[in-house]
Short mmCIF file of all heavy atoms in Angstrom, two decimals:
data_model
loop_
_atom_site.label_atom_id
_atom_site.label_comp_id
_atom_site.label_asym_id
_atom_site.label_seq_id
_atom_site.Cartn_x
_atom_site.Cartn_y
_atom_site.Cartn_z
N MET A 104 0.62 11.17 -8.90
CA MET A 104 1.39 10.26 -7.87
C MET A 104 1.00 8.84 -8.32
O MET A 104 -0.11 8.50 -8.71
CB MET A 104 0.88 10.53 -6.50
CG MET A 104 1.68 9.86 -5.48
SD MET A 104 0.98 9.80 -3.81
CE MET A 104 0.50 11.58 -3.55
N LYS A 105 1.96 8.00 -8.26
CA LYS A 105 1.77 6.56 -8.48
C LYS A 105 2.32 5.72 -7.27
O LYS A 105 3.34 5.94 -6.78
CB LYS A 105 2.59 6.15 -9.78
CG LYS A 105 2.30 4.79 -10.22
CD LYS A 105 2.92 4.65 -11.65
CE LYS A 105 2.64 3.25 -12.21
NZ LYS A 105 3.70 2.35 -11.82
N VAL A 106 1.44 4.85 -6.84
CA VAL A 106 1.74 4.02 -5.71
C VAL A 106 1.70 2.49 -6.08
O VAL A 106 0.71 2.11 -6.77
CB VAL A 106 0.78 4.28 -4.50
CG1 VAL A 106 1.09 3.45 -3.29
CG2 VAL A 106 0.67 5.83 -4.19
N SER A 107 2.70 1.83 -5.59
CA SER A 107 2.56 0.31 -5.92
C SER A 107 3.27 -0.34 -4.73
O SER A 107 3.80 0.17 -3.88
CB SER A 107 3.38 0.02 -7.20
OG SER A 107 4.70 0.43 -7.14
N VAL A 108 2.93 -1.72 -4.67
CA VAL A 108 3.46 -2.48 -3.64
C VAL A 108 4.36 -3.62 -4.23
O VAL A 108 4.01 -4.26 -5.20
CB VAL A 108 2.42 -3.25 -2.85
CG1 VAL A 108 3.03 -4.15 -1.79
CG2 VAL A 108 1.57 -2.14 -2.13
N ASP A 109 5.65 -3.65 -3.75
CA ASP A 109 6.56 -4.73 -4.19
C ASP A 109 6.15 -6.03 -3.55
O ASP A 109 6.21 -6.23 -2.34
CB ASP A 109 8.02 -4.35 -3.71
CG ASP A 109 9.02 -5.35 -4.16
OD1 ASP A 109 8.55 -6.40 -4.80
OD2 ASP A 109 10.18 -5.21 -3.84
N LYS A 110 5.54 -6.98 -4.38
CA LYS A 110 5.04 -8.22 -3.85
C LYS A 110 6.04 -9.11 -3.32
O LYS A 110 5.86 -10.08 -2.67
CB LYS A 110 4.25 -8.90 -4.95
CG LYS A 110 3.11 -8.03 -5.56
CD LYS A 110 2.07 -7.85 -4.52
CE LYS A 110 0.91 -7.11 -5.06
NZ LYS A 110 1.10 -5.68 -5.37
N ILE A 111 7.35 -8.87 -3.72
CA ILE A 111 8.43 -9.73 -3.17
C ILE A 111 8.72 -9.40 -1.67
O ILE A 111 8.85 -10.27 -0.84
CB ILE A 111 9.76 -9.52 -4.01
CG1 ILE A 111 9.50 -9.76 -5.46
CG2 ILE A 111 10.83 -10.48 -3.39
CD1 ILE A 111 9.28 -11.21 -5.85
N THR A 112 8.76 -8.08 -1.45
CA THR A 112 9.16 -7.76 -0.02
C THR A 112 7.95 -7.59 0.87
O THR A 112 8.10 -7.50 2.08
CB THR A 112 9.97 -6.44 -0.04
OG1 THR A 112 9.26 -5.42 -0.91
CG2 THR A 112 11.38 -6.64 -0.64
N CYS A 113 6.77 -7.42 0.35
CA CYS A 113 5.63 -7.28 1.23
C CYS A 113 5.33 -8.55 1.99
O CYS A 113 5.38 -9.64 1.39
CB CYS A 113 4.32 -6.93 0.43
SG CYS A 113 2.78 -7.02 1.35
N THR A 114 5.27 -8.47 3.26
CA THR A 114 4.99 -9.66 4.19
C THR A 114 3.55 -9.86 4.58
O THR A 114 3.08 -10.74 5.23
CB THR A 114 5.76 -9.60 5.35
OG1 THR A 114 5.38 -8.42 6.17
CG2 THR A 114 7.26 -9.39 5.13
N GLY A 115 2.68 -8.85 4.07
CA GLY A 115 1.24 -9.05 4.40
C GLY A 115 0.93 -8.66 5.81
O GLY A 115 -0.09 -9.15 6.37
N CYS A 116 1.80 -7.83 6.46
CA CYS A 116 1.59 -7.51 7.86
C CYS A 116 0.20 -6.85 8.20
O CYS A 116 -0.22 -6.86 9.24
CB CYS A 116 2.75 -6.72 8.36
SG CYS A 116 2.80 -5.08 7.80
N GLY A 117 -0.23 -6.16 7.16
CA GLY A 117 -1.47 -5.52 7.28
C GLY A 117 -1.49 -4.02 7.78
O GLY A 117 -2.51 -3.41 7.90
N THR A 118 -0.22 -3.46 8.08
CA THR A 118 -0.08 -2.15 8.59
C THR A 118 -0.78 -1.10 7.63
O THR A 118 -1.55 -0.23 8.03
CB THR A 118 1.35 -1.76 8.83
OG1 THR A 118 1.92 -2.68 9.77
CG2 THR A 118 1.47 -0.33 9.31
N CYS A 119 -0.43 -1.25 6.37
CA CYS A 119 -0.95 -0.29 5.38
C CYS A 119 -2.43 -0.30 5.33
O CYS A 119 -3.15 0.71 5.17
CB CYS A 119 -0.32 -0.50 3.97
SG CYS A 119 -0.48 -2.23 3.37
N GLN A 120 -3.02 -1.52 5.29
CA GLN A 120 -4.49 -1.61 5.23
C GLN A 120 -5.15 -1.02 6.51
O GLN A 120 -6.18 -0.37 6.41
CB GLN A 120 -4.82 -3.15 5.02
CG GLN A 120 -6.40 -3.35 4.93
CD GLN A 120 -6.78 -4.79 4.81
OE1 GLN A 120 -7.00 -5.31 3.71
NE2 GLN A 120 -6.61 -5.51 5.87
N ALA A 121 -4.54 -1.28 7.65
CA ALA A 121 -5.05 -0.78 8.77
C ALA A 121 -5.00 0.75 8.79
O ALA A 121 -5.95 1.40 9.32
CB ALA A 121 -4.19 -1.30 10.06
N LEU A 122 -3.90 1.33 8.22
CA LEU A 122 -3.79 2.84 8.26
C LEU A 122 -4.78 3.47 7.18
O LEU A 122 -5.29 4.47 7.37
CB LEU A 122 -2.36 3.22 7.98
CG LEU A 122 -1.45 2.94 9.12
CD1 LEU A 122 0.03 3.19 8.53
CD2 LEU A 122 -1.69 3.74 10.35
N CYS A 123 -4.88 2.76 6.05
CA CYS A 123 -5.80 3.35 5.01
C CYS A 123 -6.44 2.23 4.18
O CYS A 123 -5.92 1.94 3.09
CB CYS A 123 -5.08 4.26 4.11
SG CYS A 123 -6.14 5.15 3.01
N PRO A 124 -7.59 1.69 4.68
CA PRO A 124 -8.28 0.53 3.95
C PRO A 124 -8.89 1.06 2.66
O PRO A 124 -9.35 0.23 1.77
CB PRO A 124 -9.38 0.14 4.86
CG PRO A 124 -9.48 1.22 5.86
CD PRO A 124 -8.21 1.94 5.93
N GLN A 125 -8.93 2.41 2.44
CA GLN A 125 -9.52 2.89 1.14
C GLN A 125 -8.51 2.80 0.06
O GLN A 125 -8.84 2.72 -1.19
CB GLN A 125 -9.85 4.43 1.29
CG GLN A 125 -10.99 4.68 2.22
CD GLN A 125 -10.55 4.93 3.62
OE1 GLN A 125 -9.46 4.62 4.10
NE2 GLN A 125 -11.46 5.60 4.45
N VAL A 126 -7.27 2.57 0.37
CA VAL A 126 -6.22 2.50 -0.71
C VAL A 126 -5.57 1.05 -0.78
O VAL A 126 -5.35 0.51 -1.80
CB VAL A 126 -5.15 3.55 -0.44
CG1 VAL A 126 -3.95 3.25 -1.43
CG2 VAL A 126 -5.67 5.02 -0.59
N PHE A 127 -5.31 0.41 0.44
CA PHE A 127 -4.68 -0.88 0.50
C PHE A 127 -5.53 -1.98 0.87
O PHE A 127 -6.42 -1.88 1.81
CB PHE A 127 -3.47 -0.74 1.42
CG PHE A 127 -2.42 0.30 1.11
CD1 PHE A 127 -2.42 1.52 1.69
CD2 PHE A 127 -1.44 -0.02 0.11
CE1 PHE A 127 -1.51 2.49 1.28
CE2 PHE A 127 -0.52 0.93 -0.14
CZ PHE A 127 -0.48 2.19 0.39
N GLU A 128 -5.36 -3.06 0.29
CA GLU A 128 -6.15 -4.26 0.56
C GLU A 128 -5.22 -5.51 0.55
O GLU A 128 -4.51 -5.78 -0.45
CB GLU A 128 -7.27 -4.45 -0.51
CG GLU A 128 -8.13 -5.64 -0.26
CD GLU A 128 -9.11 -5.83 -1.45
OE1 GLU A 128 -8.75 -6.17 -2.59
OE2 GLU A 128 -10.33 -5.53 -1.16
N ILE A 129 -5.29 -6.25 1.62
CA ILE A 129 -4.57 -7.53 1.74
C ILE A 129 -5.43 -8.59 1.03
O ILE A 129 -6.60 -8.79 1.40
CB ILE A 129 -4.26 -7.99 3.15
CG1 ILE A 129 -3.61 -6.80 3.92
CG2 ILE A 129 -3.33 -9.22 3.11
CD1 ILE A 129 -2.31 -6.35 3.43
N ARG A 130 -4.88 -9.32 0.05
CA ARG A 130 -5.62 -10.27 -0.68
C ARG A 130 -5.26 -11.71 -0.33
O ARG A 130 -4.44 -11.89 0.53
CB ARG A 130 -5.43 -10.06 -2.22
CG ARG A 130 -6.09 -8.66 -2.58
CD ARG A 130 -6.38 -8.60 -4.06
NE ARG A 130 -6.90 -7.21 -4.26
CZ ARG A 130 -6.81 -6.53 -5.41
NH1 ARG A 130 -6.11 -7.08 -6.44
NH2 ARG A 130 -7.33 -5.39 -5.59
N GLU A 131 -5.93 -12.62 -0.95
CA GLU A 131 -5.77 -14.08 -0.54
C GLU A 131 -4.28 -14.57 -0.63
O GLU A 131 -3.93 -15.51 -0.05
CB GLU A 131 -6.69 -14.99 -1.35
CG GLU A 131 -8.17 -14.84 -1.01
CD GLU A 131 -8.98 -15.75 -1.83
OE1 GLU A 131 -8.47 -16.48 -2.70
OE2 GLU A 131 -10.23 -15.72 -1.66
N ASP A 132 -3.53 -13.92 -1.47
CA ASP A 132 -2.14 -14.32 -1.60
C ASP A 132 -1.28 -13.77 -0.45
O ASP A 132 -0.05 -14.00 -0.39
CB ASP A 132 -1.49 -13.95 -2.91
CG ASP A 132 -1.54 -12.50 -3.25
OD1 ASP A 132 -1.99 -11.70 -2.32
OD2 ASP A 132 -1.06 -12.09 -4.34
N GLY A 133 -1.88 -13.09 0.46
CA GLY A 133 -1.18 -12.48 1.61
C GLY A 133 -0.38 -11.29 1.30
O GLY A 133 0.62 -10.88 2.02
N LYS A 134 -0.65 -10.60 0.18
CA LYS A 134 0.15 -9.44 -0.33
C LYS A 134 -0.86 -8.33 -0.35
O LYS A 134 -2.07 -8.43 -0.48
CB LYS A 134 0.65 -9.65 -1.60
CG LYS A 134 1.64 -10.84 -1.79
CD LYS A 134 2.88 -10.66 -0.95
CE LYS A 134 3.86 -11.86 -0.98
NZ LYS A 134 4.98 -11.76 -0.24
N SER A 135 -0.33 -7.06 -0.11
CA SER A 135 -1.11 -5.84 -0.24
C SER A 135 -1.18 -5.31 -1.61
O SER A 135 -0.21 -5.40 -2.43
CB SER A 135 -0.43 -4.78 0.67
OG SER A 135 -1.02 -3.55 0.52
N TYR A 136 -2.38 -4.92 -1.99
CA TYR A 136 -2.61 -4.31 -3.33
C TYR A 136 -3.18 -2.92 -3.16
O TYR A 136 -3.89 -2.58 -2.25
CB TYR A 136 -3.68 -5.23 -4.04
CG TYR A 136 -3.14 -6.46 -4.53
CD1 TYR A 136 -2.93 -7.59 -3.65
CD2 TYR A 136 -2.75 -6.75 -5.87
CE1 TYR A 136 -2.40 -8.74 -4.06
CE2 TYR A 136 -2.14 -7.93 -6.21
CZ TYR A 136 -1.95 -8.93 -5.36
OH TYR A 136 -1.40 -10.07 -5.78
N VAL A 137 -2.84 -2.15 -4.13
CA VAL A 137 -3.37 -0.73 -4.22
C VAL A 137 -4.72 -0.81 -4.96
O VAL A 137 -4.72 -1.35 -6.14
CB VAL A 137 -2.39 0.21 -4.91
CG1 VAL A 137 -3.03 1.64 -5.06
CG2 VAL A 137 -1.08 0.35 -4.09
N LEU A 138 -5.81 -0.41 -4.35
CA LEU A 138 -7.05 -0.58 -4.96
C LEU A 138 -7.12 0.32 -6.21
O LEU A 138 -6.73 1.60 -6.15
CB LEU A 138 -8.19 -0.22 -3.94
CG LEU A 138 -8.33 -1.16 -2.85
CD1 LEU A 138 -9.28 -0.65 -1.79
CD2 LEU A 138 -8.83 -2.50 -3.32
N GLU A 139 -7.70 -0.09 -7.28
CA GLU A 139 -7.81 0.61 -8.53
C GLU A 139 -8.73 1.76 -8.38
O GLU A 139 -9.86 1.64 -7.73
CB GLU A 139 -8.40 -0.31 -9.68
CG GLU A 139 -7.66 0.10 -10.95
CD GLU A 139 -8.05 -1.02 -12.09
OE1 GLU A 139 -7.57 -2.18 -11.84
OE2 GLU A 139 -8.75 -0.63 -12.95
N GLY A 140 -8.39 2.91 -8.77
CA GLY A 140 -9.33 4.09 -8.64
C GLY A 140 -9.27 4.74 -7.27
O GLY A 140 -10.07 5.64 -7.05
N ALA A 141 -8.46 4.22 -6.37
CA ALA A 141 -8.43 4.79 -5.04
C ALA A 141 -8.01 6.22 -5.03
O ALA A 141 -7.16 6.61 -5.78
CB ALA A 141 -7.48 3.91 -4.19
N ASP A 142 -8.59 7.04 -4.13
CA ASP A 142 -8.16 8.38 -3.95
C ASP A 142 -6.89 8.47 -3.11
O ASP A 142 -6.99 8.32 -1.93
CB ASP A 142 -9.30 9.24 -3.29
CG ASP A 142 -8.93 10.64 -3.03
OD1 ASP A 142 -7.90 11.12 -3.49
OD2 ASP A 142 -9.67 11.30 -2.33
N LEU A 143 -5.76 8.74 -3.72
CA LEU A 143 -4.53 8.67 -3.16
C LEU A 143 -4.29 9.83 -2.19
O LEU A 143 -3.31 9.95 -1.33
CB LEU A 143 -3.41 8.54 -4.16
CG LEU A 143 -3.44 7.30 -5.07
CD1 LEU A 143 -2.37 7.36 -6.12
CD2 LEU A 143 -3.31 6.02 -4.24
N ASN A 144 -5.20 10.84 -2.26
CA ASN A 144 -5.05 12.05 -1.39
C ASN A 144 -5.88 11.78 -0.10
O ASN A 144 -5.97 12.73 0.71
CB ASN A 144 -5.58 13.23 -2.21
CG ASN A 144 -4.53 13.54 -3.33
OD1 ASN A 144 -3.41 13.51 -3.16
ND2 ASN A 144 -5.16 13.77 -4.50
N CYS A 145 -6.58 10.75 0.08
CA CYS A 145 -7.46 10.46 1.22
C CYS A 145 -6.61 10.18 2.47
O CYS A 145 -7.11 10.33 3.61
CB CYS A 145 -8.36 9.33 1.01
SG CYS A 145 -7.58 7.72 1.06
N CYS A 146 -5.24 10.00 2.36
CA CYS A 146 -4.41 9.78 3.53
C CYS A 146 -3.05 10.21 3.16
O CYS A 146 -2.73 10.63 2.06
CB CYS A 146 -4.38 8.29 3.83
SG CYS A 146 -3.99 7.21 2.39
N ASP A 147 -2.15 10.07 4.10
CA ASP A 147 -0.74 10.57 3.87
C ASP A 147 0.03 9.32 3.43
O ASP A 147 0.54 8.50 4.17
CB ASP A 147 -0.12 11.07 5.17
CG ASP A 147 1.26 11.70 4.89
OD1 ASP A 147 1.89 11.28 3.94
OD2 ASP A 147 1.65 12.55 5.75
N ILE A 148 0.05 9.10 2.07
CA ILE A 148 0.69 7.93 1.46
C ILE A 148 2.17 7.85 1.87
O ILE A 148 2.69 6.72 2.10
CB ILE A 148 0.58 8.00 0.00
CG1 ILE A 148 -0.95 7.86 -0.47
CG2 ILE A 148 1.50 6.96 -0.71
CD1 ILE A 148 -1.41 6.34 -0.43
N HIS A 149 2.80 8.97 1.86
CA HIS A 149 4.24 8.95 2.19
C HIS A 149 4.50 8.48 3.71
O HIS A 149 5.44 7.71 3.92
CB HIS A 149 4.95 10.35 2.02
CG HIS A 149 5.05 10.78 0.63
ND1 HIS A 149 4.06 11.53 -0.03
CD2 HIS A 149 5.99 10.51 -0.33
CE1 HIS A 149 4.48 11.72 -1.27
NE2 HIS A 149 5.53 11.09 -1.45
N GLU A 150 3.63 8.84 4.61
CA GLU A 150 3.71 8.43 5.95
C GLU A 150 3.47 6.95 6.04
O GLU A 150 4.09 6.17 6.78
CB GLU A 150 2.80 9.21 6.80
CG GLU A 150 3.02 8.93 8.26
CD GLU A 150 2.15 9.89 9.23
OE1 GLU A 150 2.07 11.08 8.96
OE2 GLU A 150 1.53 9.32 10.05
N ILE A 151 2.44 6.46 5.30
CA ILE A 151 2.15 4.98 5.34
C ILE A 151 3.32 4.23 4.78
O ILE A 151 3.72 3.15 5.25
CB ILE A 151 0.77 4.74 4.62
CG1 ILE A 151 -0.35 5.44 5.34
CG2 ILE A 151 0.57 3.32 4.43
CD1 ILE A 151 -1.70 5.32 4.56
N ALA A 152 3.88 4.84 3.61
CA ALA A 152 5.03 4.05 3.04
C ALA A 152 6.16 3.92 4.05
O ALA A 152 6.86 2.92 4.17
CB ALA A 152 5.51 4.79 1.77
N ALA A 153 6.36 5.02 4.86
CA ALA A 153 7.41 5.06 5.84
C ALA A 153 7.11 4.03 7.01
O ALA A 153 7.94 3.59 7.65
CB ALA A 153 7.55 6.39 6.30
N SER A 154 5.80 3.73 7.21
CA SER A 154 5.37 2.85 8.20
C SER A 154 5.46 1.35 7.78
O SER A 154 5.44 0.48 8.68
CB SER A 154 3.97 3.10 8.68
OG SER A 154 3.68 4.43 9.07
N CYS A 155 5.69 1.09 6.58
CA CYS A 155 5.79 -0.26 6.13
C CYS A 155 7.16 -0.82 6.59
O CYS A 155 8.21 -0.30 6.24
CB CYS A 155 5.70 -0.29 4.59
SG CYS A 155 6.13 -2.00 3.90
N PRO A 156 7.11 -1.98 7.37
CA PRO A 156 8.35 -2.51 8.00
C PRO A 156 9.37 -2.90 6.97
O PRO A 156 10.54 -3.03 7.35
CB PRO A 156 7.77 -3.58 8.92
CG PRO A 156 6.45 -3.95 8.36
CD PRO A 156 5.88 -2.74 7.69
N THR A 157 8.93 -3.24 5.78
CA THR A 157 9.87 -3.82 4.76
C THR A 157 10.10 -2.81 3.63
O THR A 157 10.89 -3.16 2.71
CB THR A 157 9.40 -5.12 4.18
OG1 THR A 157 8.19 -4.90 3.48
CG2 THR A 157 9.21 -6.13 5.29
N GLY A 158 9.48 -1.65 3.74
CA GLY A 158 9.76 -0.59 2.70
C GLY A 158 9.21 -1.11 1.34
O GLY A 158 9.73 -0.70 0.31
N ALA A 159 8.11 -1.83 1.39
CA ALA A 159 7.53 -2.45 0.16
C ALA A 159 6.67 -1.45 -0.66
O ALA A 159 6.38 -1.78 -1.85
CB ALA A 159 6.76 -3.68 0.47
N ILE A 160 6.22 -0.37 0.03
CA ILE A 160 5.31 0.61 -0.68
C ILE A 160 6.14 1.65 -1.39
O ILE A 160 7.00 2.37 -0.82
CB ILE A 160 4.37 1.27 0.37
CG1 ILE A 160 3.53 0.23 1.07
CG2 ILE A 160 3.53 2.36 -0.40
CD1 ILE A 160 2.83 0.80 2.19
N LEU A 161 6.02 1.62 -2.73
CA LEU A 161 6.81 2.50 -3.62
C LEU A 161 5.93 3.67 -4.07
O LEU A 161 4.79 3.47 -4.55
CB LEU A 161 7.28 1.75 -4.81
CG LEU A 161 7.97 0.37 -4.48
CD1 LEU A 161 8.20 -0.42 -5.78
CD2 LEU A 161 9.28 0.64 -3.74
N VAL A 162 6.39 4.86 -3.84
CA VAL A 162 5.60 6.09 -4.18
C VAL A 162 6.40 6.95 -5.17
O VAL A 162 7.55 7.28 -4.91
CB VAL A 162 5.31 7.00 -2.91
CG1 VAL A 162 4.54 8.19 -3.35
CG2 VAL A 162 4.64 6.10 -1.83
N GLU A 163 5.83 7.16 -6.26
CA GLU A 163 6.55 8.00 -7.25
C GLU A 163 5.66 9.32 -7.32
O GLU A 163 4.41 9.33 -7.61
CB GLU A 163 6.44 7.36 -8.65
CG GLU A 163 7.34 6.11 -8.65
CD GLU A 163 7.12 5.41 -10.00
OE1 GLU A 163 7.22 6.02 -11.11
OE2 GLU A 163 6.93 4.13 -9.91
N ASP A 164 6.30 10.51 -7.09
CA ASP A 164 5.50 11.70 -7.16
C ASP A 164 5.44 12.26 -8.59
O ASP A 164 6.20 11.79 -9.42
CB ASP A 164 6.22 12.76 -6.32
CG ASP A 164 5.98 12.46 -4.81
OD1 ASP A 164 4.82 12.31 -4.46
OD2 ASP A 164 6.93 12.45 -4.05
S1 SF4 B 106 2.82 -2.40 5.43
FE1 SF4 B 106 4.23 -3.16 3.90
S2 SF4 B 106 4.70 -5.26 4.39
FE2 SF4 B 106 2.81 -4.78 5.49
S3 SF4 B 106 1.12 -5.34 4.21
FE3 SF4 B 106 1.53 -3.25 3.72
S4 SF4 B 106 2.99 -3.30 1.98
FE4 SF4 B 106 2.92 -5.28 2.95
#
């Protein structure tokens, strides 16, 4: 699985980080980043992607 965040559409709302801080981190530029080496099975990535208000979380199975 590959997860990425579209930096254009991410508004930095923090929802993804709140749901899974082990995978998502809001950085100084106000955008969400997928932490390198994060265990993508530690949470329901698809559900979190669906929770993103702008659809900025891209999941490739
Ligand atoms: S939930 Fe979506 S818009 Fe909000 S910080 Fe995460 S990726 Fe960005």
Side-chain angles (χ1 to χ4, degrees):
M104 190 194 311
K105 190 167 176 271
V106 182
S107 58
V108 174
D109 178 0
K110 302 295 185 288
I111 306 287
T112 50
C113 172
T114 61
C116 71
T118 299
C119 54
Q120 181 181 255
L122 291 171
C123 189
Q125 291 92 342
V126 173
F127 298 96
E128 178 182 73
I129 310 296
R130 296 197 177 153
E131 285 181 3
D132 61 358
K134 303 293 180 180
S135 174
Y136 286 78
V137 177
L138 293 171
E139 215 171 295
D142 177 10
L143 300 177
N144 294 312
C145 72
C146 54
D147 188 336
I148 290 284
H149 289 93
E150 192 177 309
I151 294 173
S154 301
C155 172
T157 63
I160 300 172
L161 312 171
V162 183
E163 294 171 49
D164 285 309

